[in-house]
Amino acid sequence: MIFLLRKLRNKMVEGGKVKRYLLYAVGEILLVVIGIVLAVQVNNWNQARNLKKSANSHLLLFKQDLKLDLAELKRLDSLLEIQYHAADSVLMQFKTLIPVDGSFAGNLTYLVLEYNFKAETKGFVLLSNSGEIAALEDSLQNQIAEYYALVESVKEREAISNTFIKDKYEVAVMIKHPYLWGKHNRQADVDLFYEDDPRPPTTLDYPYILADKSLEVLAFGRRFQIIEQAKKYAEAIMALNKLISMLD
């Protein structure tokens, strides 16, 4: 095509047809420009196709990570539910609404356990570093952003609870009331640790412990934190289920 235009141009110049030559010159320039635009467009299409293909590969790993996250959040939520019942039972006993029994020490000490959620991020990092997130649909990008915002919210809530445990609650049940720990403690890990202890079990002074208002308030604080932490887990689980369904 360019060869024919050049041949026509030469004939027009030789024949003195300058006006027609100028028109063909403009046409030749437009043809070159159109060729460049088409080449750029084709290149962009190829890049977009390759990016999407790579993104689909990384999305498989990303989805596997999300399923691991979901299993871990459900596990932590189940453990938190046990803690909630422990805290609720302790407070009922403090209020004398139910009798104090052998579960009392175990429930108090069970509330020292800390939980930390750690999201799997290999797939997400690959998507982010490669710029492939931009190739995803806007709705999917928004859901990914929402989930990881909730992950940060979960971590913040866990940090508040765990700091409270370390700085305040542990002091009460480990230092102020050390006799909560022993054979009489029905918490699984404690009971297992002391099962070979030849010493006779310590008789707990329940009236003394129940009269400790600061311990009651700390147990109430743990109950409140458990409820708030469970809310964050529930929000993250809901967002995660939605994100996984969008990837299916």
Side-chain angles (χ1 to χ4, degrees), residues 160-217:
I160 292 171
S161 296
N162 294 342
T163 299
F164 180 87
I165 292 170
K166 291 186 182 76
D167 295 346
K168 294 181 173 63
Y169 191 78
E170 281 186 357
V171 174
V173 298
M174 290 184 173
I175 298 176
K176 191 174 181 182
H177 295 286
Y179 291 108
L180 289 169
W181 305 80
K183 285 183 177 181
H184 52 270
N185 190 317
R186 293 183 183 176
Q187 185 192 145
D189 292 340
V190 178
D191 187 43
L192 182 63
F193 179 79
Y194 284 105
E195 68 176 356
D196 61 349
D197 188 350
R199 297 172 297 179
T202 303
T203 301
L204 292 181
D205 187 349
Y206 288 125
Y208 170 72
I209 298 173
L210 291 171
D212 187 346
K213 192 64 178 180
S214 64
L215 180 59
E216 179 183 346
V217 172

Side-chain angles (χ1 to χ4, degrees), residues 51 54-55 57-62 65 121-133:
L51 189 64
S54 178
S57 175
H58 290 157
L59 280 173
L60 292 175
L61 177 59
F62 181 53
D65 287 348
T121 59
K122 296 185 292 296
F124 178 71
V125 169
L126 285 172
L127 286 170
S128 298
N129 292 344
S130 63
E132 293 163 357
I133 285 185

Side-chain angles (χ1 to χ4, degrees), residues 62-78:
F62 181 53
K63 187 177 177 181
Q64 291 174 0
D65 287 348
L66 294 178
K67 288 183 176 180
L68 291 174
D69 285 358
L70 183 60
E72 177 63 4
L73 280 168
K74 287 182 176 179
R75 184 185 74 86
L76 291 173
D77 188 58
S78 297

Side-chain angles (χ1 to χ4, degrees), residues 43-194:
N43 184 61
N44 289 339
W45 286 338
N46 287 333
Q47 286 183 346
R49 184 181 60 185
N50 292 335
L51 189 64
K52 189 170 184 179
K53 183 178 179 181
S54 178
N56 288 335
S57 175
H58 290 157
L59 280 173
L60 292 175
L61 177 59
F62 181 53
K63 187 177 177 181
Q64 291 174 0
D65 287 348
L66 294 178
K67 288 183 176 180
L68 291 174
D69 285 358
L70 183 60
E72 177 63 4
L73 280 168
K74 287 182 176 179
R75 184 185 74 86
L76 291 173
D77 188 58
S78 297
L79 293 174
L80 211 59
E81 185 177 358
I82 297 172
Q83 273 199 332
Y84 172 79
H85 289 301
D88 204 50
S89 177
V90 161
L91 289 170
M92 293 284 281
Q93 289 167 327
F94 267 112
K95 292 190 293 184
T96 69
L97 296 177
I98 60 175
V100 178
D101 57 23
S103 67
F104 184 68
N107 286 336
L108 277 172
T109 56
Y110 191 70
L111 298 180
V112 305
L113 298 180
E114 303 172 23
Y115 300 127
N116 292 282
F117 173 64
K118 186 177 184 302
E120 297 289 338
T121 59
K122 296 185 292 296
F124 178 71
V125 169
L126 285 172
L127 286 170
S128 298
N129 292 344
S130 63
E132 293 163 357
I133 285 185
L136 305 178
E137 294 181 1
D138 289 345
S139 58
L140 184 54
Q141 291 184 50
N142 292 335
Q143 191 61 32
I144 291 173
E146 179 183 341
Y147 169 62
Y148 283 106
L150 284 170
V151 168
E152 292 306 310
S153 184
V154 165
K155 290 180 179 179
E156 289 172 5
R157 183 67 252 179
E158 287 175 335
I160 292 171
S161 296
N162 294 342
T163 299
F164 180 87
I165 292 170
K166 291 186 182 76
D167 295 346
K168 294 181 173 63
Y169 191 78
E170 281 186 357
V171 174
V173 298
M174 290 184 173
I175 298 176
K176 191 174 181 182
H177 295 286
Y179 291 108
L180 289 169
W181 305 80
K183 285 183 177 181
H184 52 270
N185 190 317
R186 293 183 183 176
Q187 185 192 145
D189 292 340
V190 178
D191 187 43
L192 182 63
F193 179 79
Y194 284 105

Side-chain angles (χ1 to χ4, degrees), residues 236-248:
I237 288 171
M238 184 180 298
L240 195 46
N241 276 322
K242 183 176 179 180
L243 179 53
I244 291 173
S245 67
M246 291 175 73
L247 291 170
D248 285 337

Side-chain angles (χ1 to χ4, degrees), residues 6-55:
R6 286 176 178 173
K7 188 173 181 181
L8 285 171
R9 177 191 63 189
N10 294 334
K11 286 183 178 180
M12 289 175 189
V13 172
E14 292 172 358
K17 299 177 182 179
V18 177
K19 186 175 179 180
R20 294 187 64 184
Y21 161 71
L22 289 175
L23 290 175
Y24 275 95
V26 171
E28 187 175 350
I29 293 171
L30 287 175
L31 184 62
V32 172
V33 170
I34 291 171
I36 293 173
V37 170
L38 287 175
V40 170
Q41 188 64 44
V42 170
N43 184 61
N44 289 339
W45 286 338
N46 287 333
Q47 286 183 346
R49 184 181 60 185
N50 292 335
L51 189 64
K52 189 170 184 179
K53 183 178 179 181
S54 178

